[in-house]
Amino acid sequence: MPISLDGLRRFAVGRSLFPPTSLKRALENLGFVQADPIRAPARAQDLTLRHRVKRYRAGDLERLYSTLDIEEDVFVNYGFVTRSLHALMHPRADRSRWARGRRSRAQALVEFVRERGEVHPREVDAHFSHGTVTNYWGGSSSATTHLLDDLHYRGVLRVARREAGIRIYATRDHTRGPVDAAARRAQIDALVDAVVGIYAPLPGASLSSLVSRLRYAVPQWRGELKDALQRAGERLSHARVGALDWYWPEDEGVPSAAPQNTVRLLAPFDPVVWDRPRFEIFWEWAYRFEAYTPARKRKLGYYALPLLWRDRIIGWGNVSLENGELHADLGFVESSPPRDRVFTRELEAELQRLREFLGLKAPEV
């Protein structure tokens, strides 16, 4: 039976929103969870994991971080990666040469961290007082914090844990890179397979875009990603549906199971909705993340969560806490919610799951 767009959409939802399991297994299944500092009503990483982890509570990832086999690092974005995926990205070669003064400051900082075991950026500031630099957003930030971030990205330091949301750093043991060109290609292909495993099924343009974004994960191999994309196109399972070529892991088939009667409010960076071009293909409307959009120009809201019903994203919700109670302001693509008792029941069940996730009491009736 030919593969249809409806089948691909159900495949995308079903394979990503797998049955809830333990936090460890969910992280192994995903490989990577994108992080975001905004809490509305919880951070994106927590909103992503709550659908996939049994009895998950907001903040569990940060609380349990040091007991899990994961690292904070850059993949296609910043987030949490399994150590097996982390190992594929390192060592990141130093392709730029630091000036002598910066190199000596970096070495002194690493020695400082090594002597103390773990350090808070405030301790580094107090010890070195390197001044300020202009950060990515155009504002001023501590030069020592900037240097810590740089050393973390290069793999010299790692995030040992967080304290009130602040990264606590430790030194990191170096790993050995691939010994020859064949081993390097195999490592790059494994990274491509990992990113496809998270976001598949992918239209060809999205596959190309995601492979290109691996330049952040492996800047030392950015020149080899074009060839890696070509190998992926030959290796992955694929089909032409309509005018587009679609790709997914080579060991997976597209199932024909019907979608579940479930309502979910998804994080803005959940793998189901992350690829905005695919989103528009599947659901025929444009979702935008508007937290950094001026309020007067927002159409969906500050932190609109896509609203999934069965295998359709039919709207969005802005969720807030007021006086210890959950409030959900919902919007719908078709102007009004489905006239369906099952939808109404499942929406309330999803809001109750959100309350439990946030540690709130059920509303009184």
Side-chain angles (χ1 to χ4, degrees), residues 45-345:
Q45 54 268 36
D46 291 321
L47 291 167
T48 296
L49 288 168
R50 77 179 185 91
H51 295 292
R52 298 164 172 91
V53 179
K54 293 178 181 177
R55 296 178 292 279
Y56 188 84
R57 298 294 179 265
D60 279 355
L61 183 62
E62 183 174 318
R63 284 191 291 270
L64 299 173
Y65 173 82
S66 62
T67 70
L68 299 166
D69 197 25
I70 59 174
E71 296 284 343
E72 285 195 38
D73 204 356
V74 175
F75 185 44
V76 292
N77 281 294
Y78 189 85
F80 300 84
V81 296
T82 58
R83 288 213 175 105
S84 58
L85 185 54
H86 185 261
L88 293 173
M89 302 188 292
H90 290 275
R92 288 181 177 136
D94 183 2
R95 298 185 61 156
S96 62
R97 294 185 178 182
W98 279 346
R100 182 177 300 177
R102 182 170 176 78
R103 187 165 58 246
S104 63
R105 287 196 297 271
Q107 186 58 41
L109 192 155
V110 171
E111 292 301 323
F112 179 78
V113 176
R114 183 175 290 116
E115 288 173 6
R116 283 157 179 78
E118 295 182 356
V119 300
H120 190 291
R122 185 171 54 243
E123 297 176 66
V124 181
D125 267 342
H127 185 79
F128 291 102
S129 298
H130 283 157
T132 61
V133 295
T134 300
N135 63 28
Y136 178 81
W137 302 105
S140 181
S141 61
S142 165
T144 49
T145 299
H146 190 268
L147 191 52
L148 283 168
D149 288 344
D150 201 352
L151 289 167
H152 175 212
Y153 178 70
R154 292 169 188 264
V156 180
L157 299 179
R158 62 178 295 270
V159 176
R161 58 187 175 84
R162 286 195 178 232
E163 187 175 291
I166 304 298
R167 285 178 282 194
I168 306 300
Y169 291 95
T171 54
R172 178 180 177 274
D173 295 330
H174 291 277
T175 56
R176 185 183 179 186
V179 295
D180 55 32
R184 186 173 65 251
R185 286 193 295 272
Q187 200 158 316
I188 296 171
D189 288 349
L191 284 165
V192 173
D193 288 347
V195 82
V196 171
I198 298 165
Y199 297 108
L202 291 162
S206 296
L207 173 64
S208 177
S209 177
L210 274 165
V211 172
S212 177
R213 290 189 69 86
L214 287 173
R215 67 190 183 275
Y216 303 120
V218 283
Q220 68 274 28
W221 299 329
R222 64 186 303 160
E224 301 188 45
L225 294 177
K226 184 176 180 180
D227 289 342
L229 176 62
Q230 182 176 346
R231 293 194 298 272
E234 298 167 354
R235 179 177 70 254
L236 297 170
S237 293
H238 60 276
R240 190 163 185 85
V241 179
L244 299 176
D245 291 315
W246 290 78
Y247 298 86
W248 60 91
E250 58 183 322
D251 59 348
E252 296 183 26
V254 178
S256 57
Q260 295 181 327
N261 288 330
T262 306
V263 171
R264 300 177 193 266
L265 284 162
L266 301 174
F269 312 116
D270 190 283
V272 173
V273 302
W274 184 89
D275 179 11
R276 303 298 194 252
R278 189 186 77 167
F279 186 105
E280 294 190 35
I281 294 169
F282 278 164
W283 294 294
E284 300 179 317
W285 64 281
Y287 168 72
R288 297 289 182 265
F289 179 60
E290 298 178 331
Y292 301 110
T293 300
R296 67 183 184 279
K297 295 183 178 181
R298 292 177 190 146
K299 296 180 179 179
L300 306 182
Y302 173 72
Y303 205 80
L305 307 177
L307 178 65
L308 178 70
W309 165 229
R310 295 176 176 150
D311 67 334
R312 301 276 181 170
I313 294 182
I314 62 170
W316 61 91
N318 286 275
V319 180
S320 61
L321 297 178
E322 297 178 21
N323 300 319
E325 294 185 1
L326 185 76
H327 291 264
D329 181 15
L330 303 180
F332 295 91
V333 177
E334 299 296 332
S335 300
S336 60
R339 295 182 178 180
D340 184 329
R341 291 181 180 179
V342 178
F343 171 79
T344 302
R345 181 193 70 205

